[in-house]
Amino acid sequence: IGDVLVTEGPSSANIFAWEATFRAPGGHVAHSRSLPNPVHMACCAVAQIAALPEPGPETVNAVSVIHGGSRNNIIPTECTIAGSVRAFDPALQAILRRQVLDILKENGDPEVSTTIDVMSTAIDPTLLARFRRTVQALYPERGCRPLKKRDMIGEDFARYAQRIPALYFFLHDRPNGDCYPLHHPKFDINETVLPKGSALFAAFALAWQNETI
């Protein structure tokens, strides 16, 4: 607990998040053979998207939302699905993005909107080198440790990193006992590491100002 983790490459993934709404006239399920069904369209699209092969390492392609229908005897007028495409390599993300959009179009041509479109968080090497020295001076017994495996998280901070030199680090806070992942209803932060994080921010700001470390 409390290890400072850094990566020299991007610290977050390129993310394209989308939402697609399939629409149809709707009607009674007794006439389902002659009526287009937006739920069927959406499910066909989901199955095909889920079956797409990964174009390379460190890629994610997932549908995580589906809403449609109200009763078993009514064909609804619309069904909405949503998901995201993630990759550290923008070229691989572009491949998956095109494949997903093509599948959606082939299965009823729904109304598609982009909900998130953000690049990966770039790490400035000069800032990273200075940060490593700051951590070593403040916590010489551990220093900075490399992040062994990058998660496919997204980060709004990436927009800043595209405009100005930026740095991103992780402060390991895994507690003893049960540990629940991000977005789990039982997820909680181990607050014992927060003073260390605050000290790092303060020391790095002073080092940057005084250029003494």
Side-chain angles (χ1 to χ4, degrees), residues 145-164:
R145 300 171 66 83
L147 186 67
K148 294 182 179 180
K149 187 178 186 305
R150 298 181 296 182
D151 282 334
M152 306 298 292
I153 59 173
E155 181 54 66
D156 292 337
F157 183 71
R159 302 187 190 279
Y160 291 96
Q162 291 175 24
R163 293 175 175 268
I164 60 175

Side-chain angles (χ1 to χ4, degrees), residues 4-8 128 131-132 144-147 167-170:
V4 181
L5 309 175
V6 295
T7 177
E8 295 183 0
L128 179 57
F131 181 72
R132 289 181 187 275
C144 275
R145 300 171 66 83
L147 186 67
L167 174 71
Y168 201 100
F169 71 92
F170 297 85

